[in-house]
Amino acid sequence: MEIEEKKEYILFNSGEKNFKDFYAFFTIEHKNYTKNNIIINISSNFNLDSSDISLFLYYTDLHQKSGTTFVVIYPNIDVDDLPESFNIVPTLVEAEDVLEMENIQRDLGF
């Protein structure tokens, strides 16, 4: 598990341990980054379903209310099983695109 501070966002990488440990690590560390844009990169080796991923919905709402972006990277999920407001994408490039689009929308007052 690793945290990288990028110019526009904080990147949480799950590593290869297990999802339960990563989620516990994230919930503790998130308190230090509530005012930052966050991208979470979850290992594709984890066998997760929408109920596992939906644990992050609370953080999505929290970041939307604070005017920041929260994106999850996980390629093995059907996005139709999650709310439309939940940003989940298969790659880091797409996560950065979501971040950029939301920054533009905020700048335009949407």
Side-chain angles (χ1 to χ4, degrees):
M1 292 166 264
E2 176 183 311
I3 300 172
E4 293 179 50
E5 294 190 25
K6 305 287 187 173
K7 182 179 178 185
E8 296 291 323
Y9 60 90
I10 306 299
L11 177 64
F12 284 81
N13 284 302
S14 67
E16 301 297 325
K17 226 176 181 188
N18 67 55
F19 180 73
K20 184 178 176 182
D21 288 346
F22 171 67
Y23 185 74
F25 168 79
F26 174 77
T27 58
I28 292 167
E29 291 297 322
H30 178 265
K31 296 171 188 156
N32 300 316
Y33 302 102
T34 57
K35 297 185 188 301
N36 298 92
N37 296 312
I38 293 188
I39 296 176
I40 296 179
N41 189 10
I42 300 174
S43 173
S44 61
N45 293 331
F46 296 158
N47 187 21
L48 304 179
D49 60 25
S50 58
S51 64
D52 297 315
I53 299 296
S54 67
L55 293 172
F56 293 104
L57 282 171
Y58 166 77
Y59 299 100
T60 296
D61 293 339
L62 184 69
H63 281 267
Q64 285 177 346
K65 289 176 184 172
S66 72
T68 58
T69 299
F70 187 87
V71 185
V72 173
I73 302 169
Y74 186 69
N76 305 330
I77 198 80
D78 183 358
V79 296
D80 293 331
D81 292 340
L82 296 162
E84 191 175 307
S85 63
F86 190 69
N87 293 321
I88 184 160
V89 295
T91 68
L92 179 58
V93 170
E94 289 172 284
E96 289 172 338
D97 289 345
V98 168
L99 175 68
E100 186 177 337
M101 287 188 305
E102 288 195 357
N103 282 339
I104 290 168
Q105 288 176 336
R106 281 191 285 273
D107 288 346
L108 294 173
F110 293 107

